[in-house]
Amino acid sequence: MTTAEVRQSFLAALNAVGSMDELERIRVEYVGKKGYVTELLKGMKDLSVEEKKTFGQEVNVLKNEVNEMISAKREEIHQKELEEENNKMPEFDISIPANLKRGSYHPITLVQRQCEEVFKSMGFAVEDYSEIVTDYECFEALNIPKDHPARDMQDTYYLDNGQLLKTHTSAAQNAIYKKYKDALINEGKPIKAIFPGRCFRNEATDACHENTFFQMEGVMVDKNISISNLIFFMKTMLSEVFQKDIKVRLRPGFFPFVEPGFELDISCLICGGEGCPSCKHSGWLELCPCGMIHPEVLKAGGIDPDEYIGFAFGLGLTRLAMMKYGVKDIRDLNSGDLKCLDQFTDDK
Ligand code: PHE
């Protein structure tokens, strides 16, 4: 073939190309090692020096042209492919109503917020506290010295650095007393604070036990505080959360950081007090251990126990959520199962 013939046949072939694969085939066919253009160069060896020069130039021009046309074609095919891809995408229609389900609050978040509202309306500050605390905060400052048997009941997760995951929200008490004591002592402002939080205990789990659960601690310190104040605040909170009067009872309970200490039980709302598996057939549920703050605990917080007195409670928020929403298995709350958890938000 002459140069002109090769050019002509190349142009015809290129014209018919529709895909990258075909293009590659033609590239090899013309400018590959055994391609037509390369063959033309090979045929030069029989020509005279003068002829070699002009013919060589001719073939080089052709080779460059072919390469350029292949590049151009490659770009053209690429653009076409992109366009086709774009056309496959569904059109965006701004008028179609969104079919997105709104998120919902976790049942524990819901009761926590309700409790916060009630206590805020009674003048309590809402405090946040870390989940990793020191041994001092969780135990020592709460009158639980090393080797005290009460530590055994709180199966603690210790960290390598000696700190621990807080086993109860009481771990924040010391910091709260220290934060508010100056206003109490200098300005006579009573300490009134609640501090909800996640707690951890290394426990085997079952329908009533979890290794991760929520409590809401509350403290009030002033000059003339009594157990009746404690009962009043607890009853008010419960009747607001449940929107009805709740029967409560106090039993003696032991906690090293309160004296005297109590267990505040509520009449089981799942069986109405008749007795069921949720209340271990007693008709009552332990909801809120509480008591008058131990003098040693006030002292550790920088408050003189001869002058001030207070109460503390540790409301079981997880249990409260279970009662309020009739959740029978505590494990559902940490399950992440949206079918179960997304049914409680009212404004979905
Ligand atoms: N921190 C105690 C617990 O989790 C509960 C508690 C709090 C008891 C406040 C009395 C006063 O076991």
Side-chain angles (χ1 to χ4, degrees), residues 18 29 116 141 196 247 263-264 313 339:
E29 201 175 333
E116 285 176 5
K247 252 191 6 204
E263 291 284 358
L264 185 138
F313 60 84
K339 258 195 229 139

Side-chain angles (χ1 to χ4, degrees), residues 78-130:
H78 180 63
Q79 286 304 333
K80 227 168 65 200
E81 282 176 352
L82 277 184
E83 250 169 59
E84 278 167 13
E85 198 56 35
N86 282 340
N87 287 341
K88 269 194 237 150
M89 304 242 262
E91 268 189 37
F92 182 65
D93 182 348
I94 200 166
S95 66
I96 296 174
N99 191 20
L100 296 174
K101 213 168 136 216
R102 282 180 67 188
S104 57
Y105 287 115
H106 192 280
I108 294 179
T109 307
L110 289 173
V111 283
Q112 178 182 323
R113 292 194 177 174
Q114 283 167 354
C115 294
E116 285 176 5
E117 284 313 310
V118 182
F119 278 105
K120 271 199 288 196
S121 75
M122 299 191 288
F124 282 72
V126 182
E127 291 284 343
D128 195 12
Y129 208 67
S130 48

Side-chain angles (χ1 to χ4, degrees), residues 142 153-154 167-171 173 199 201 213 215-219 254-255 257-258 261-263 288-293 311-315:
L142 292 166
M153 291 166 53
Q154 309 214 354
T167 57
H168 53 178
T169 41
S170 307
Q173 277 194 25
C199 306
R201 290 187 198 179
F213 54 93
Q215 291 185 338
M216 195 176 81
E217 192 95 351
V219 293
F254 173 73
F255 301 94
F257 35 95
V258 283
F262 307 100
E263 291 284 358
C288 185
C290 53
M292 304 308 287
I293 302 164
F311 65 74
F313 60 84
L315 180 69

